[in-house]
Amino acid sequence: MKKNVLLLVFVLISSLSFGQIFITELADPIDKTTARYVELFNAGESAVDLTGYGLQRYTNGGTAPQADIWALTGTIAAKGFYIVARETAGFNSSYGFDPDLAIGDAGPADSNGDDQIQLVFVNTGVDTTVIDIFGVPGEDGTGTCHGFEDGRAERIASATTPNAGTWNEANWNVTGLTESLTCTNHITGSVSSTDGIFDPGKWIGYVPLNTIVSFELVSSEVSEDGISIDVCVIIENPDASNATTVEIELDAASTATNGTDFLSIVFPQTLSFPAGSSEKKCLTINISDDSETEVLDELVILNLQNPAGGLSAALGTPMVHTVSIKDNDIVCPAVGDIIITEVMQNPAAVSDANGEYFEIYNTTGSDIDIMGIEFADDLSVDEKFIISNSLILPANGYLLFAIDGDVATNGGIVPDYVYPSDIAFSLANATDGIQIRCSGTVIDKVIWDDGVTFPDPNGASMSLKPDFMNFADNDNGVNWEAATSPYGNGDLGTPGFSNVPVCDLVLGASNAVCDVVTAGVDTYTATLAFTMGATSSYVITSTAGTVGGDDPSATATGTIVITGIDEGANITVTIENSAVSGTCNFITNIESPICFTPVCAAAGYYI
């Protein structure tokens, strides 16, 4: 009997603990996969040791969760939050503080918005209790009420208890790219990590008991020729009787110099909130303009510290704000002066991690120094690099950018620039894109689409056709083709050179022979030998006669034969590559033979 009582007590305690913790937010920012996270909230009055708790993911429409359970560590405070992120660096750069736990990609904190996430408690071995779940297992989230692709899901304020594994769509506000018309609170759209909508460490269902102060935004930017910028602090739950204060301190990691890049400020600066006031307070930073070219943004990193007064005032998130001062001395090329003309996103001779490259082209008749130009992924804010030193893009010329600078391992190319090793800049085989930017202006961009309109080769680059070398036409996938010219280790492309491939066909000797010899007008047959055929499609024309014989489009070595040509008619034979106009353009002139039988005169006579 005593054992049964102890078991009952354990079950009751476990149930009470489980009833305190649930999922309040899931994030899949459209611009930054490394800023994905899952937010948990403890609604109880006591802190909870998270030993035994874990997260699991149902991937897409899977009917069983992943075998791995990502264990939670530490404790979650009473009325507190616990953030599980994909990675620390990406999360911190977006939201201004570190998550409680980072568990990497392919797990519950790395959902692309069509998965289901559950909070579980591991009883023994593989025996688990589902405490709370988002989504419907066995149902791919795309186009459903739990689809938050490139968006966000937040629990509504009134749903204050976990669901024990049964999800109710009416208890969530969901934003996702794919429309779903049967939902209570589903918005079709996307959310960026820079929109200010994601709010890890806050929930609409929780009003803090104490006063909370935090920066209004994680980051902001201003041009060097801007006059000033305000960095604001907001307050939650102010005390009606006591004022609240907080200090702003300049972080030592700032790259902008106080008194040089902005007018001198004595730090720390104290902001004061009157009793009962919810009005935000701001620090004004006056920017100094100079004539020095600064490729990288100058950063003013500010920290909140020493909250006081109010209702036991405390710091909320974000606690760090970064102001980026953008240089105004860089001379930017005009839109379309630089374009993307070739992309190798899927090499075959070497791995993607060694063989990816892209090529840019100068559409103008003047050299362009691309120092200060930024190359970025079309969506991810982390995938970008800036050219920090002088690099000349020749007039009507090319530059080659590659992931690997070693010709022995990169497939046999010699790049002009190698991506920085600390930047995870990659070219996806499916859908991806590249932007060329200067001081915030997009000079050119190309976004390929997994073969829908753009080519999708393996072992060949995507090459912009020569007739469409401008920033408008390179947006259209039909104006691109798979490269056909081999380079280096055997992949196909023209890295760093014109996209017009080299003509492989080689012509040999020509001949002309009379078909018959009569006193009248006869016919003759012309022949033209060739080698190195069967590498492209060719069109053969002649000014007279009928073209036949071997076809260089299909035959490597052979002879072109033109028959039925009238005696006395010289002919011109033209051979062109029909795939790319003007790549091969041979013109061969063949003279007619004289078709007659000489007549000999008798001895002593003259003819």
Side-chain angles (χ1 to χ4, degrees):
M1 183 64 184
K2 183 177 180 180
K3 291 182 180 180
N4 292 337
V5 171
L6 289 175
L7 178 60
L8 178 60
V9 170
F10 173 76
V11 170
L12 288 173
I13 292 174
S14 298
S15 299
L16 289 172
S17 299
F18 295 161
Q20 298 171 323
I21 305 173
F22 47 84
I23 302 168
T24 47
E25 187 181 13
L26 300 101
D28 178 33
I30 188 173
D31 63 321
K32 193 172 183 180
T33 58
T34 57
R36 290 171 172 167
Y37 65 87
V38 177
E39 176 188 82
L40 305 176
F41 178 67
N42 176 10
E45 300 296 332
S46 302
V48 175
D49 182 351
L50 293 175
T51 302
Y53 287 82
L55 289 176
Q56 274 186 305
R57 186 176 94 178
Y58 288 82
T59 301
N60 302 329
T63 57
Q66 293 177 330
D68 291 330
I69 298 175
W70 275 260
L72 307 184
T73 59
T75 60
I76 181 170
K79 307 296 183 184
F81 296 90
Y82 189 94
I83 310 297
V84 183
R86 168 176 158 167
E87 64 174 60
T88 298
F91 182 91
N92 189 302
S93 65
S94 295
Y95 311 116
F97 65 101
D98 287 347
D100 295 283
L101 181 66
I103 59 176
D105 58 7
D110 189 35
S111 173
N112 64 354
D114 59 0
D115 308 310
Q116 301 82 54
I117 310 300
Q118 64 182 14
L119 173 66
V120 301
F121 186 85
V122 180
N123 300 314
T124 55
V126 295
D127 179 30
T128 61
T129 298
V130 177
I131 302 168
D132 195 39
I133 192 169
F134 174 85
V136 180
E139 179 180 84
D140 188 292
T142 303
T144 72
C145 298
H146 55 96
F148 65 103
E149 300 99 327
D150 295 338
R152 173 182 187 250
E154 183 181 37
R155 202 182 200 99
I156 65 173
S158 58
T160 57
T161 57
N163 57 33
T166 302
W167 189 70
N168 183 351
E169 61 89 13
N171 289 336
W172 286 83
N173 297 317
V174 179
T175 299
L177 277 185
T178 306
E179 185 177 42
S180 184
L181 299 176
T182 60
C183 311
T184 307
N185 305 306
H186 192 282
I187 298 173
T188 304
S190 61
V191 183
S192 167
S193 65
T194 60
D195 289 342
I197 295 175
F198 293 111
D199 58 353
K202 299 178 183 177
W203 177 45
I204 56 175
Y206 171 63
V207 177
L209 299 178
N210 57 334
T211 299
I212 303 294
V213 286
S214 61
F215 281 116
E216 183 178 33
L217 299 171
V218 172
S219 61
S220 57
E221 62 182 45
V222 62
S223 174
E224 191 178 60
D225 57 1
I227 299 173
S228 64
I229 187 170
D230 288 338
V231 177
C232 297
V233 176
I234 58 175
I235 185 169
E236 298 178 75
N237 196 29
D239 185 14
S241 302
N242 296 313
T244 302
T245 61
V246 67
E247 293 177 350
I248 298 180
E249 181 62 277
L250 181 65
D251 195 295
S254 298
T255 58
T257 302
N258 189 1
T260 301
D261 297 310
F262 57 95
L263 297 186
S264 181
I265 298 175
V266 178
F267 288 99
Q269 285 280 303
T270 300
L271 299 183
S272 297
F273 298 84
S277 174
S278 296
E279 182 179 354
K280 65 185 179 183
K281 299 296 177 182
C282 303
L283 170 67
T284 298
I285 301 175
N286 295 297
I287 308 302
S288 301
D289 195 0
D290 60 37
S291 59
E292 183 180 352
T293 299
E294 296 130 345
V295 172
L296 300 178
D297 292 348
E298 295 171 310
L299 304 181
V300 183
I301 304 173
L302 303 172
N303 299 321
L304 287 181
Q305 65 181 28
N306 299 329
L311 294 168
S312 300
L315 296 180
T317 56
M319 294 176 281
V320 180
H321 182 94
T322 301
V323 179
S324 300
I325 304 175
K326 295 188 171 296
D327 185 71
N328 65 328
D329 300 306
I330 294 173
V331 178
C332 291
V335 173
D337 282 358
I338 303 173
I339 63 172
I340 300 158
T341 51
E342 187 172 343
V343 178
M344 172 58 89
Q345 83 277 32
N346 192 19
V350 294
S351 69
D352 287 7
N354 294 105
E356 291 182 351
Y357 69 78
F358 69 91
E359 168 194 275
I360 64 172
Y361 174 69
N362 180 351
T363 65
T364 77
S366 301
D367 291 351
I368 298 175
D369 191 340
I370 66 169
M371 184 174 73
I373 298 293
E374 181 181 58
F375 296 87
D377 184 85
D378 63 310
L379 292 177
S380 175
V381 297
D382 288 333
E383 289 189 60
K384 63 182 180 182
F385 58 88
I386 296 177
I387 308 302
S388 57
N389 297 305
S390 179
L391 181 60
I392 302 300
L393 175 57
N396 301 120
Y398 299 85
L399 286 177
L400 181 63
F401 294 74
I403 195 170
D404 182 359
D406 188 348
V407 68
T409 57
N410 67 11
I413 61 175
V414 181
D416 299 291
Y417 186 92
V418 179
Y419 316 156
S421 59
D422 59 340
I423 302 298
F425 192 89
S426 62
L427 309 174
N429 296 343
T431 300
D432 204 356
I434 304 170
Q435 296 184 69
I436 304 174
R437 300 193 298 229
C438 184
S439 296
T441 298
V442 176
I443 307 301
D444 186 44
K445 67 178 178 179
V446 170
I447 301 174
W448 54 96
D449 54 13
D450 199 20
V452 177
T453 60
F454 279 76
D456 187 24
N458 179 19
S461 69
M462 296 186 299
S463 179
L464 183 63
K465 298 176 183 178
D467 293 337
F468 302 98
M469 300 284 282
N470 62 78
F471 80 101
D473 286 338
N474 76 347
D475 292 342
N476 191 340
V478 300
N479 296 330
W480 293 70
E481 62 187 353
T484 58
S485 297
Y487 71 87
N489 293 0
D491 280 338
L492 305 179
T494 56
F497 298 95
S498 169
N499 290 350
V500 178
V502 177
C503 181
D504 296 320
L505 189 66
V506 177
L507 298 184
S510 62
N511 196 14
V513 177
C514 297
D515 297 325
V516 294
V517 177
T518 67
V521 177
D522 299 315
T523 61
Y524 71 94
T525 296
T527 59
L528 180 59
F530 66 85
T531 58
M532 300 297 291
T535 61
S536 188
S537 298
Y538 300 94
V539 174
I540 306 170
T541 58
S542 175
T543 53
T546 301
V547 176
D550 296 318
D551 181 2
S553 299
T555 305
T557 301
T559 302
I560 300 167
V561 179
I562 300 100
T563 59
I565 312 165
D566 288 338
E567 177 188 5
N570 298 332
I571 63 171
T572 298
V573 179
T574 301
I575 304 173
E576 293 181 304
N577 182 324
S578 60
V580 181
S581 177
T583 301
C584 293
N585 189 356
F586 295 104
I587 298 176
T588 301
N589 296 313
I590 301 177
E591 294 186 359
S592 169
I594 299 174
C595 303
F596 71 93
T597 302
V599 177
C600 296
Y605 290 86
Y606 295 97
I607 296 178

